[in-house]
Amino acid sequence: MRSAVRPLTIFARTMRPPGTVVRFSDGSSVKKENVPDDPLGYFYLASLYLSQLKNMNKAAAVYRQYLSVDPGDMRALGALGEIYIEQKNLKGALQVYERLGEVTPDDLAVGIRIALLRYDLNDHEGALAAFNRMLRDYPASDKIIYYLAVIY
């Protein structure tokens, strides 16, 4: 019977040699035992940090590194935004979701998330304006109508 290979083991096989230094877009650097050769490896490494190891700080750092190479990746932007929300970094989450909104301008869920983040940051006028813009595009959306009623 064949044993199952863990995802981290498979991932480690595609890494650079031990001792490689990773430089992040914010200027910091970290010496890693294993650093992915392919930039997409950063995305998978961050996903593993988040889902398997439950280490949000490392996952956020690696997602930021990946986004410095591919700034329009919807999955990485969404995951980083959710990490920031979980960490109560609402300003950071708003910045990330606004970038995601530029990538996916017709995504109602992203628009609602941006408006709710503005509301949570006490930018009630900005939240109202965002919901009203969405209401013009989606007049039958019960979610938008509900949130507008709550804000008013």
Side-chain angles (χ1 to χ4, degrees), residues 83-98:
I83 289 170
Y84 284 160
I85 289 171
E86 188 72 26
Q87 293 176 331
K88 309 290 188 236
N89 178 359
L90 299 183
K91 287 182 181 180
L94 179 59
Q95 290 174 346
V96 170
Y97 272 100
E98 284 176 338

Side-chain angles (χ1 to χ4, degrees), residues 38-54:
D38 183 359
L40 187 59
Y42 286 112
F43 176 80
Y44 292 114
L45 179 61
S47 299
L48 289 170
Y49 274 132
L50 188 59
S51 65
Q52 301 296 318
L53 302 176
K54 309 295 185 214

Side-chain angles (χ1 to χ4, degrees), residues 7-75:
L8 284 172
T9 305
I10 293 170
F11 185 75
R13 292 179 186 160
T14 64
M15 309 289 248
R16 291 184 189 156
T20 305
V21 175
V22 177
R23 301 202 187 284
F24 295 100
S25 58
D26 65 0
S28 64
S29 63
V30 177
K31 189 173 185 179
K32 291 284 190 180
E33 289 187 17
N34 296 310
V35 178
D37 285 326
D38 183 359
L40 187 59
Y42 286 112
F43 176 80
Y44 292 114
L45 179 61
S47 299
L48 289 170
Y49 274 132
L50 188 59
S51 65
Q52 301 296 318
L53 302 176
K54 309 295 185 214
N55 190 330
M56 288 193 290
N57 291 329
K58 283 188 178 182
V62 178
Y63 276 128
R64 284 191 302 271
Q65 178 65 26
Y66 175 67
L67 287 167
S68 71
V69 176
D70 186 1
D73 189 295
M74 297 181 316
R75 298 168 302 169

